Amino acid sequence: MTQKPTIFVNIAAYRDAETYATIRDLFDKAKHPDNLHVSVCWQYNSLCEEPFVMNDRKHQVSVINIDYRKSQGCSWARHVAQKTYNNETYYLQVDAHSRFIPNWDAIMIEELARCNSLKPILSTYPNAYTLPNTLGNDIPYKLIFNTWQSRVPTFHTRACDESEKTIPSPSLMIGGGLIFSYAEAILDVPYDPNLYFIGDEIAMSVRYWTHGYDMFTPTKALVFHLYVEPSLVKNYNWSDNTDWHTKYESSSRARILHLLGIEKTNDPRAL
């Protein structure tokens, strides 16, 4: 009997009230919800928030509950969530404030198979949704270079042209709100826990590329992200930890510049 393809889903959630709704939508919209394994790194304030407990599909949701004061940033949390990987076939990374199209799992698998690469990654910045579940337009978007910010390249998106809507097209980099690939990507290029937030996408893109991976833009909108009204549902690590720049971001930035060959460092925190 052929083994059913399974998907490992990585969700880093920092005091994010949309996390439950995201996971429910993920299961509800999947064509094969029984084939999903969701891993949540739940960073919470025990004085006003509860440990994360998923009442339905408990056996499919792994939770790492962490006091928010011990959090070391988004990349660190994604690294922690990857630790519950259990030999699933595919790997999906999304944010804790996401929505999905119907049959998203089957469509992502089909899209990945159509990529012209032995080691493909589907990725882009997701389209938008507004609370509670209003999805925005379904135009697919491609990541393109925007500008340099403190010597690190930043990216934005443009609408895909008609030729890019027929087959996944090559892309410059990954966007953290949607990464889909074969699960070997977790083992080949685990998330870097020493990056904080800014620049993690270009750093991960370079590491994927130097490990033989090719990045592609999906031909359709697959995932939707909450870009507006975030203060209603979400807190930020850098707001709760006012010394974040000294404690994490400065060494993270030095690590990225070192990785890209822009500026070498001897700072042991960045190496």
Tab-separated table of all heavy atoms in Angstrom, residues 69-101:
chain	number	residue	atom	x	y	z
A	69	ARG	N	8.883	35.720	27.990
A	69	ARG	CA	10.112	36.377	28.401
A	69	ARG	C	11.352	35.591	27.970
A	69	ARG	O	12.457	36.123	27.958
A	69	ARG	CB	10.116	36.576	29.915
A	69	ARG	CG	9.084	37.601	30.398
A	69	ARG	CD	8.895	37.544	31.886
A	69	ARG	NE	8.325	36.264	32.315
A	69	ARG	CZ	7.968	35.987	33.564
A	69	ARG	NH1	8.114	36.900	34.504
A	69	ARG	NH2	7.460	34.806	33.862
A	70	LYS	N	11.151	34.319	27.605
A	70	LYS	CA	12.270	33.487	27.149
A	70	LYS	C	12.382	33.454	25.633
A	70	LYS	O	13.290	32.823	25.087
A	70	LYS	CB	12.113	32.072	27.688
A	70	LYS	CG	12.178	31.988	29.213
A	70	LYS	CD	12.017	30.553	29.698
A	70	LYS	CE	12.100	30.482	31.218
A	70	LYS	NZ	11.925	29.086	31.698
A	71	SER	N	11.460	34.121	24.945
A	71	SER	CA	11.498	34.137	23.489
A	71	SER	C	12.722	34.880	22.981
A	71	SER	O	13.135	35.886	23.557
A	71	SER	CB	10.233	34.808	22.941
A	71	SER	OG	10.320	34.971	21.543
A	72	GLN	N	13.289	34.373	21.883
A	72	GLN	CA	14.458	35.009	21.282
A	72	GLN	C	14.181	35.447	19.840
A	72	GLN	O	15.115	35.634	19.061
A	72	GLN	CB	15.645	34.045	21.333
A	72	GLN	CG	16.059	33.691	22.751
A	72	GLN	CD	17.163	32.652	22.795
A	72	GLN	OE1	18.048	32.646	21.935
A	72	GLN	NE2	17.102	31.782	23.776
A	73	GLY	N	12.905	35.604	19.504
A	73	GLY	CA	12.566	36.124	18.191
A	73	GLY	C	11.889	35.116	17.292
A	73	GLY	O	11.741	33.939	17.616
A	74	CYS	N	11.484	35.603	16.124
A	74	CYS	CA	10.685	34.817	15.183
A	74	CYS	C	11.455	33.611	14.629
A	74	CYS	O	10.939	32.491	14.594
A	74	CYS	CB	10.222	35.730	14.051
A	74	CYS	SG	9.154	34.941	12.851
A	75	SER	N	12.671	33.827	14.166
A	75	SER	CA	13.455	32.729	13.600
A	75	SER	C	13.744	31.659	14.640
A	75	SER	O	13.707	30.458	14.348
A	75	SER	CB	14.766	33.259	13.017
A	75	SER	OG	14.521	34.113	11.929
A	76	TRP	N	14.043	32.090	15.841
A	76	TRP	CA	14.274	31.150	16.941
A	76	TRP	C	13.029	30.297	17.179
A	76	TRP	O	13.127	29.067	17.339
A	76	TRP	CB	14.637	31.928	18.200
A	76	TRP	CG	14.714	31.100	19.452
A	76	TRP	CD1	15.785	30.380	19.904
A	76	TRP	CD2	13.668	30.926	20.413
A	76	TRP	NE1	15.466	29.759	21.081
A	76	TRP	CE2	14.170	30.073	21.418
A	76	TRP	CE3	12.362	31.396	20.526
A	76	TRP	CZ2	13.416	29.686	22.522
A	76	TRP	CZ3	11.596	31.011	21.613
A	76	TRP	CH2	12.130	30.165	22.604
A	77	ALA	N	11.849	30.926	17.183
A	77	ALA	CA	10.605	30.182	17.422
A	77	ALA	C	10.321	29.191	16.292
A	77	ALA	O	9.840	28.076	16.527
A	77	ALA	CB	9.442	31.160	17.574
A	78	ARG	N	10.608	29.581	15.052
A	78	ARG	CA	10.422	28.658	13.930
A	78	ARG	C	11.380	27.479	14.036
A	78	ARG	O	11.035	26.343	13.701
A	78	ARG	CB	10.611	29.408	12.608
A	78	ARG	CG	9.448	30.329	12.282
A	78	ARG	CD	9.746	31.270	11.141
A	78	ARG	NE	8.541	31.993	10.723
A	78	ARG	CZ	8.543	33.075	9.972
A	78	ARG	NH1	9.689	33.577	9.531
A	78	ARG	NH2	7.405	33.667	9.639
A	79	HIS	N	12.587	27.736	14.507
A	79	HIS	CA	13.554	26.668	14.736
A	79	HIS	C	13.033	25.699	15.800
A	79	HIS	O	13.141	24.470	15.644
A	79	HIS	CB	14.890	27.279	15.155
A	79	HIS	CG	15.939	26.280	15.507
A	79	HIS	ND1	16.732	25.672	14.568
A	79	HIS	CD2	16.327	25.770	16.715
A	79	HIS	CE1	17.568	24.829	15.155
A	79	HIS	NE2	17.340	24.873	16.464
A	80	VAL	N	12.482	26.235	16.871
A	80	VAL	CA	11.935	25.405	17.944
A	80	VAL	C	10.787	24.545	17.417
A	80	VAL	O	10.709	23.340	17.701
A	80	VAL	CB	11.464	26.283	19.125
A	80	VAL	CG1	10.680	25.461	20.137
A	80	VAL	CG2	12.659	26.955	19.797
A	81	ALA	N	9.900	25.143	16.640
A	81	ALA	CA	8.751	24.401	16.113
A	81	ALA	C	9.192	23.264	15.194
A	81	ALA	O	8.531	22.215	15.130
A	81	ALA	CB	7.810	25.346	15.371
A	82	GLN	N	10.300	23.434	14.483
A	82	GLN	CA	10.777	22.380	13.583
A	82	GLN	C	11.207	21.120	14.330
A	82	GLN	O	11.296	20.041	13.738
A	82	GLN	CB	11.950	22.893	12.737
A	82	GLN	CG	11.545	23.814	11.608
A	82	GLN	CD	12.726	24.206	10.726
A	82	GLN	OE1	13.878	24.157	11.160
A	82	GLN	NE2	12.437	24.595	9.500
A	83	LYS	N	11.444	21.224	15.611
A	83	LYS	CA	11.966	20.086	16.374
A	83	LYS	C	10.969	18.941	16.510
A	83	LYS	O	11.370	17.827	16.855
A	83	LYS	CB	12.427	20.556	17.758
A	83	LYS	CG	13.649	21.461	17.719
A	83	LYS	CD	14.096	21.871	19.110
A	83	LYS	CE	15.352	22.738	19.057
A	83	LYS	NZ	15.822	23.146	20.402
A	84	THR	N	9.695	19.180	16.258
A	84	THR	CA	8.717	18.087	16.361
A	84	THR	C	8.483	17.403	15.016
A	84	THR	O	7.583	16.568	14.901
A	84	THR	CB	7.364	18.590	16.917
A	84	THR	OG1	6.719	19.424	15.944
A	84	THR	CG2	7.553	19.377	18.205
A	85	TYR	N	9.263	17.757	14.013
A	85	TYR	CA	9.155	17.091	12.709
A	85	TYR	C	9.294	15.580	12.892
A	85	TYR	O	10.169	15.097	13.601
A	85	TYR	CB	10.252	17.610	11.782
A	85	TYR	CG	10.421	16.793	10.516
A	85	TYR	CD1	9.412	16.725	9.571
A	85	TYR	CD2	11.607	16.082	10.288
A	85	TYR	CE1	9.571	15.975	8.411
A	85	TYR	CE2	11.775	15.336	9.135
A	85	TYR	CZ	10.750	15.278	8.203
A	85	TYR	OH	10.908	14.529	7.068
A	86	ASN	N	8.416	14.820	12.224
A	86	ASN	CA	8.356	13.371	12.422
A	86	ASN	C	8.273	12.640	11.077
A	86	ASN	O	7.379	11.832	10.856
A	86	ASN	CB	7.164	13.016	13.323
A	86	ASN	CG	7.198	11.567	13.776
A	86	ASN	OD1	8.266	10.977	13.920
A	86	ASN	ND2	6.033	10.992	13.994
A	87	ASN	N	9.203	12.969	10.189
A	87	ASN	CA	9.329	12.272	8.899
A	87	ASN	C	8.113	12.447	7.986
A	87	ASN	O	7.792	11.541	7.204
A	87	ASN	CB	9.603	10.782	9.119
A	87	ASN	CG	10.916	10.533	9.834
A	87	ASN	OD1	11.945	11.123	9.480
A	87	ASN	ND2	10.895	9.691	10.854
A	88	GLU	N	7.468	13.613	8.071
A	88	GLU	CA	6.396	13.896	7.121
A	88	GLU	C	6.990	14.089	5.726
A	88	GLU	O	8.192	14.285	5.569
A	88	GLU	CB	5.617	15.150	7.545
A	88	GLU	CG	4.696	14.927	8.746
A	88	GLU	CD	5.416	14.966	10.074
A	88	GLU	OE1	6.567	15.451	10.121
A	88	GLU	OE2	4.848	14.507	11.082
A	89	THR	N	6.132	14.060	4.717
A	89	THR	CA	6.567	14.125	3.319
A	89	THR	C	6.891	15.546	2.884
A	89	THR	O	7.867	15.783	2.160
A	89	THR	CB	5.485	13.556	2.394
A	89	THR	OG1	4.941	12.361	2.952
A	89	THR	CG2	6.042	13.270	1.003
A	90	TYR	N	6.050	16.483	3.294
A	90	TYR	CA	6.158	17.872	2.852
A	90	TYR	C	6.296	18.801	4.055
A	90	TYR	O	5.969	18.436	5.192
A	90	TYR	CB	4.935	18.288	2.033
A	90	TYR	CG	4.770	17.522	0.742
A	90	TYR	CD1	3.947	16.397	0.682
A	90	TYR	CD2	5.433	17.917	-0.417
A	90	TYR	CE1	3.790	15.683	-0.500
A	90	TYR	CE2	5.284	17.218	-1.603
A	90	TYR	CZ	4.462	16.106	-1.638
A	90	TYR	OH	4.321	15.396	-2.813
A	91	TYR	N	6.753	20.014	3.772
A	91	TYR	CA	6.949	21.022	4.810
A	91	TYR	C	6.242	22.309	4.419
A	91	TYR	O	6.438	22.827	3.310
A	91	TYR	CB	8.447	21.303	4.974
A	91	TYR	CG	8.775	22.449	5.906
A	91	TYR	CD1	8.360	22.441	7.236
A	91	TYR	CD2	9.526	23.545	5.463
A	91	TYR	CE1	8.674	23.481	8.092
A	91	TYR	CE2	9.859	24.589	6.318
A	91	TYR	CZ	9.424	24.557	7.633
A	91	TYR	OH	9.732	25.589	8.490
A	92	LEU	N	5.421	22.827	5.321
A	92	LEU	CA	4.744	24.110	5.122
A	92	LEU	C	5.049	25.024	6.294
A	92	LEU	O	4.933	24.620	7.454
A	92	LEU	CB	3.232	23.910	5.022
A	92	LEU	CG	2.383	25.192	5.000
A	92	LEU	CD1	2.656	26.019	3.751
A	92	LEU	CD2	0.897	24.857	5.113
A	93	GLN	N	5.427	26.256	5.988
A	93	GLN	CA	5.574	27.283	7.012
A	93	GLN	C	4.610	28.422	6.723
A	93	GLN	O	4.575	28.938	5.604
A	93	GLN	CB	6.999	27.827	7.039
A	93	GLN	CG	7.204	28.957	8.053
A	93	GLN	CD	8.625	29.453	8.052
A	93	GLN	OE1	9.543	28.738	8.430
A	93	GLN	NE2	8.822	30.693	7.619
A	94	VAL	N	3.820	28.785	7.727
A	94	VAL	CA	2.920	29.933	7.622
A	94	VAL	C	2.961	30.690	8.937
A	94	VAL	O	3.448	30.189	9.954
A	94	VAL	CB	1.462	29.512	7.314
A	94	VAL	CG1	1.345	28.931	5.919
A	94	VAL	CG2	0.930	28.540	8.356
A	95	ASP	N	2.428	31.900	8.918
A	95	ASP	CA	2.326	32.684	10.141
A	95	ASP	C	1.080	32.291	10.930
A	95	ASP	O	0.171	31.636	10.409
A	95	ASP	CB	2.300	34.174	9.807
A	95	ASP	CG	3.660	34.691	9.373
A	95	ASP	OD1	4.679	34.197	9.895
A	95	ASP	OD2	3.711	35.589	8.507
A	96	ALA	N	1.038	32.735	12.184
A	96	ALA	CA	-0.065	32.371	13.081
A	96	ALA	C	-1.340	33.143	12.781
A	96	ALA	O	-2.364	32.933	13.429
A	96	ALA	CB	0.350	32.604	14.530
A	97	HIS	N	-1.298	34.046	11.815
A	97	HIS	CA	-2.470	34.817	11.401
A	97	HIS	C	-2.626	34.625	9.892
A	97	HIS	O	-2.236	35.501	9.109
A	97	HIS	CB	-2.327	36.294	11.779
A	97	HIS	CG	-0.913	36.783	11.739
A	97	HIS	ND1	-0.007	36.574	12.756
A	97	HIS	CD2	-0.223	37.456	10.785
A	97	HIS	CE1	1.162	37.085	12.431
A	97	HIS	NE2	1.052	37.634	11.224
A	98	SER	N	-3.161	33.457	9.513
A	98	SER	CA	-3.271	33.070	8.101
A	98	SER	C	-4.632	32.435	7.827
A	98	SER	O	-5.296	31.918	8.734
A	98	SER	CB	-2.174	32.062	7.730
A	98	SER	OG	-0.882	32.597	7.913
A	99	ARG	N	-5.011	32.481	6.542
A	99	ARG	CA	-6.198	31.769	6.050
A	99	ARG	C	-5.811	31.055	4.760
A	99	ARG	O	-4.799	31.386	4.135
A	99	ARG	CB	-7.367	32.735	5.805
A	99	ARG	CG	-7.873	33.428	7.057
A	99	ARG	CD	-8.543	32.479	8.030
A	99	ARG	NE	-9.123	33.205	9.155
A	99	ARG	CZ	-8.485	33.477	10.291
A	99	ARG	NH1	-7.214	33.105	10.445
A	99	ARG	NH2	-9.090	34.128	11.259
A	100	PHE	N	-6.654	30.114	4.330
A	100	PHE	CA	-6.287	29.221	3.239
A	100	PHE	C	-7.412	29.085	2.225
A	100	PHE	O	-8.575	29.303	2.547
A	100	PHE	CB	-5.940	27.837	3.813
A	100	PHE	CG	-4.853	27.884	4.842
A	100	PHE	CD1	-5.140	28.187	6.170
A	100	PHE	CD2	-3.534	27.671	4.484
A	100	PHE	CE1	-4.129	28.269	7.122
A	100	PHE	CE2	-2.517	27.750	5.433
A	100	PHE	CZ	-2.813	28.048	6.751
A	101	ILE	N	-7.037	28.700	0.997
A	101	ILE	CA	-8.048	28.410	-0.013
A	101	ILE	C	-8.508	26.965	0.168
A	101	ILE	O	-7.804	26.150	0.760
A	101	ILE	CB	-7.504	28.625	-1.443
A	101	ILE	CG1	-6.354	27.639	-1.751
A	101	ILE	CG2	-7.058	30.057	-1.651
A	101	ILE	CD1	-5.932	27.626	-3.206
